[in-house]
Amino acid sequence: MDTCRELEPSHIFVPGPIIVGAGPSGLAVAACLSNRGVPSVILERTDCLASLWQKRTYDRLKLHLPKHFCELPLMSFPKNFPKYPSKQQFISYVESYAARFNIKPVFNQTVEKAEFDAVSGLWNVKTQDGVYTSTWLVVATGENAEPVVPDIPGLKKFTGSVVHTSAYKSGSVFANRKVLVVGCGNSGMEVSLDLCRYNALPHMVVRNSVHVLPRDFFGLSTFGIAMTLLKWFPLKLVDTILLLLANSTLGVTDHLGLRRPKTGPIELKNVTGKTPVLDVGAISLIRSGHIRVAQAVKEITKNGAKFVNGQEVEFDSIILATGYKSNVPYWLKDNSFFTKEGMPKTPFPNGWKGEEGLYTVGFTRRGLSGTAFDAVKIADDIKDQWMKSNGPLSSRNICSSHIIHLHFNKS
Ligand SMILES: Cc1cc2nc3c(=O)[nH]c(=O)nc-3n(C[C@H](O)[C@H](O)[C@H](O)COP(=O)(O)OP(=O)(O)OC[C@H]3O[C@@H](n4cnc5c(N)ncnc54)[C@H](O)[C@@H]3O)c2cc1C
Ligand SMILES: NC(=O)C1=CN([C@@H]2O[C@H](COP(=O)(O)OP(=O)(O)OC[C@H]3O[C@@H](n4cnc5c(N)ncnc54)[C@H](OP(=O)(O)O)[C@@H]3O)[C@@H](O)[C@H]2O)C=CC1
Ligand SMILES: O=C(O)C(=O)Cc1c[nH]c2ccccc12
């Protein structure tokens, strides 16, 4: 690879930015950079693009926001895709996107450590195979990098199967089984619904309040309605309208065990990151008794669970729909830009740029539309710096290609 200087067998200097993660966020930044004539290298721990979507989501998954809110920069979804593309359609879009911009990440490279060296002014990014060095580091490892597996008392004693939703594919293996689903976010609700479609018997744990909104309201997406209203009205009024709309279609849900938080759904999402559930059928299955709502778990036993209300139920399996977390604190060293939870300290829309050439994409708590926003900002910012040191008049214009393809020489 003539565009990147190999310093020693396991040390590569990358002339453009190093991007960690080949999910939609990393690809969006690489595409926007390429479009502006800046090369980049993506390091990806798995062997595929968009690994969250390819390896860690269930078969029935569809986007729950309309496709135009989930587009990456510079390329629309195909016209023949439905309003809510399926997981397979989304993956094929991401693969076409990478092909369109000739993005070829270096796969099977887990970033174990990234450190800024103040003496050289460069980032050293260590994987199991060696060290990559660059002026710029783009963190694109996602808000959902690792499953959250809570330490529920007694969980280790349980003799049945325990899986996190990131490993759940379909309810086919749970037919006629009693399943405890812990968590009632979008994953918990949709997995419970999927279990019912395969004749399993789910109990879903709801330990707190939760906002459930219909995905659509008279053919319009609730999310789209909210975004339109927000252009004209204050947030609190928009939330009030959304709740009126939700109550008129889903009905009151308190007696089902689903109490609403005091803060409205969009305000709560903005302040805490907690995503409202967009209902695609679980509520009617809760009403009909097919999905049972359970209270918080007190402890798991050998054969089931004890709940805080004293009830005890036997289960064959447990599915942890307990969410995800960032993994940035594990590998980004000495950094004050991120919280200890691995999210940028500065909230949206200003969380994309740190210091010393550090950038973050996809940590906005705004899904793929947040990714698109960050990617454009980052590419514009890096391009300005790139042009100063690598513009047409610069002798350092060493890259012939806009995307760098490289591999360590493993001989
Ligand atoms: C079930 C589910 C459904 C969702 N549906 C929607 C939706 O409909 N609309 C929406 O807008 N958002 C949705 N989201 C939010 C989701 O975060 C985005 O869709 C999108 O995947 C975010 O892209 P990303 O590139 O930031 O993160 P990811 O897709 O998680 O990609 C990050 C990549 O980084 C890699 N990586 C992580 N750590 C390392 C490391 N140390 N070294 C190297 N590589 C690493 C990972 O393997 C992964 O490939 C959904 C999330 C989930 C879990
Ligand atoms: N179709 C789609 O597009 C889908 C999108 N998604 C998205 O993926 C992201 C992750 O969603 P999801 O996986 O649902 O995670 P979330 O973080 O949204 O929800 C986690 C759930 O687990 C509960 N929980 C966590 N720990 C415990 C515990 N110890 N005991 C009991 N309950 C617990 C939480 O309850 P509490 O609130 O009390 O902490 C919450 O109900 C979200 O942004 C979501 O919108 C997910 C699925 C489908
Ligand atoms: O699906 C997700 O995880 C998202 O983050 C998408 C999203 C961004 N903002 C929202 C507000 C309400 C519902 C979903 C989202």
Side-chain angles (χ1 to χ4, degrees), residues 62 224 264:
K62 286 182 179 172

Side-chain angles (χ1 to χ4, degrees), residues 53 58 61-65 144 148 150 152 165 182-188 190 205 207-209 269 274-276 321-324:
W53 288 82
Y58 46 91
L61 177 65
K62 286 182 179 172
L63 293 182
H64 66 176
L65 307 185
N144 302 310
V148 168
I152 304 173
T165 46
V182 183
C184 61
N186 280 296
S187 297
E190 289 192 19
V205 175
R207 68 168 177 181
N208 256 316
S209 54
K269 172 78 179 161
K274 198 167 171 180
T275 319
T322 41
Y324 297 84

